[in-house]
Structure formats: structure tokens, C-alpha cells
Amino acid sequence: MNKRTNSIALVLLSIFGALLSCVKVDEFEMPDLEWEESEIVSNSNLQALASIVDQSEEGLVRFGEDDEAIVSGYVISSDEAGSFYKTLIVQDKKTDAESGIQLRIDLKSYFTKFKFGRKVFIKLAGLTATKEKGNYVLGYLFKGQVVDIPESIIDKKLIRSEELSELTGTFTRLEQISEADLNTFVRIE
């Protein structure tokens, strides 16, 4: 009987402890939403990157791990609707863009981090650029192929700026669209 009494007391004590440990808290601290702007600056541009790829004999340009080249641009794609799965497109200017590039990234739902119009800085060290079907592409070299930049290093390669611009795009007619408009924000009149 003593064992049974001890077992019942232990069960009741456990239930009582569990009920008391579940405390409802309605007050939460607000997180610090202050943005620390990076002191990073670009020392090259997307047009120069495209030119380097065009001049390459292999059609492939790999940047060394110690390369200090940094380009900047504005995000013009969003995967919120599923249209640009793991492909982030960046153009060189807010308006009248002259150049753009696709970034292959191993990141789903990137629209939460890289919003349309967000200025980003791209550290080229360790990345590879190429041209495929008229598109300039930037990614990670793996077994001779340009693949997605691994999620584990995206924050080291793509630095978000505080700047979030409203992009207007370049207005054009459908018959006037050319290869020069690839990877840039255009609007059809």
C-alpha cells in the first residue's frame, strides 16, 4: 500500500507542477529595430562585370577568395508569387538601368529579406560569373557549373543596404525590347 500511495502522490505532484509551470504571459519586449547601415561601398559596377565575362576566353570568370571587388544594384525580382525561384535579379540603377545580373541563390522566400527596390552590395570574392542565353549570371562554381550560392554564405556575399527605393522601370514598346533589356526592369507601354 505504501508503494501505491507514493505512486499516486508522485503523479499528483507531477500534474500539479505541470499546471503551475504553464504561466500565461501577455507582455513581451519589443525587439530593437534599429538598422545599422553597413559602411560597405562598391568599387566596381555591373557593366564592368559584364565586360569581364564577355572578354573571358572560357566565358567564365571566377573571383578569388581574396578578391575585394564589390558591385551594387537594386533588386528587381521577387519570389513571393513563385515566379523567380532561387533567382535574385539585380540591376545597376534605380532608373534607366543599363545592366543587370541574375544571382543564383539557395534561398527560398527571399522576398522577405531582399525586397523589390532594396539596394544590395555583392561581394564577388569566391563567386563565379558567366553568360547563359544572353543573361549574365553570378553564382558559386561547383564541378565546372555555376550553381546556387549556398544559403550558409549568402549573408557574407549579399549585403542589404537600408535604402529601399521605388523603382519606376524603363518604359518601352514590345517591339523595341532587346537583349540589352535582359535583367532590367522594363514596363511595356
Side-chain angles (χ1 to χ4, degrees):
M1 184 80 179
N2 199 7
K3 277 188 172 183
R4 186 171 181 200
T5 306
N6 286 341
S7 297
I8 291 173
L10 184 61
V11 168
L12 289 175
L13 187 60
S14 297
I15 292 172
F16 183 70
L19 289 174
L20 288 179
S21 66
C22 297
V23 178
K24 185 177 178 182
V25 177
D26 289 336
E27 294 181 28
F28 301 97
E29 288 185 29
M30 286 295 291
D32 184 17
L33 298 177
E34 193 171 306
W35 187 289
E36 288 186 32
E37 182 66 27
S38 173
E39 293 181 18
I40 192 168
V41 292
S42 58
N43 55 18
S44 189
N45 58 50
L46 294 177
Q47 287 178 315
L49 178 59
S51 178
I52 292 169
V53 171
D54 288 339
Q55 294 174 13
S56 168
E57 291 179 14
E58 300 88 31
L60 198 72
V61 177
R62 186 175 191 300
F63 295 90
E65 290 294 336
D66 58 343
D67 199 309
E68 295 183 6
I70 299 171
V71 296
S72 65
Y74 296 87
V75 175
I76 62 165
S77 63
S78 172
D79 64 347
E80 186 171 13
S83 301
F84 293 94
Y85 183 69
K86 293 186 176 184
T87 302
L88 181 72
I89 302 176
V90 175
Q91 71 180 23
D92 61 348
K93 300 177 187 173
K94 292 185 227 181
T95 58
D96 300 322
E98 297 174 8
S99 184
I101 193 164
Q102 286 183 9
L103 283 89
R104 292 191 176 147
I105 57 174
D106 187 22
L107 184 64
K108 298 173 190 162
S109 302
Y110 69 76
F111 71 93
T112 61
K113 193 173 207 174
F114 300 104
K115 295 182 186 232
F116 187 91
R118 171 78 59 201
K119 184 174 184 177
V120 293
F121 295 93
I122 306 163
K123 291 184 177 182
L124 299 178
L127 299 180
T128 301
T130 189
K131 189 173 184 179
E132 296 175 355
K133 299 178 185 175
N135 285 315
Y136 293 99
V137 178
L138 188 63
Y140 198 75
L141 189 64
F142 181 73
K143 294 186 179 181
Q145 298 286 331
V146 178
V147 298
D148 297 344
I149 300 168
E151 185 175 2
S152 61
I153 65 169
I154 287 175
D155 288 337
K156 295 174 187 161
K157 301 297 178 187
L158 298 173
I159 291 82
R160 298 182 305 162
S161 167
E162 184 176 340
E163 184 179 339
L164 182 62
S165 300
E166 187 172 324
L167 306 180
T168 57
T170 303
F171 288 91
T172 188
R173 300 183 66 83
L174 188 58
E175 60 271 5
Q176 294 174 325
I177 291 180
S178 68
E179 192 173 289
D181 295 317
L182 289 174
N183 295 326
T184 61
F185 182 39
V186 295
R187 291 185 171 205
I188 309 298
E189 292 180 326

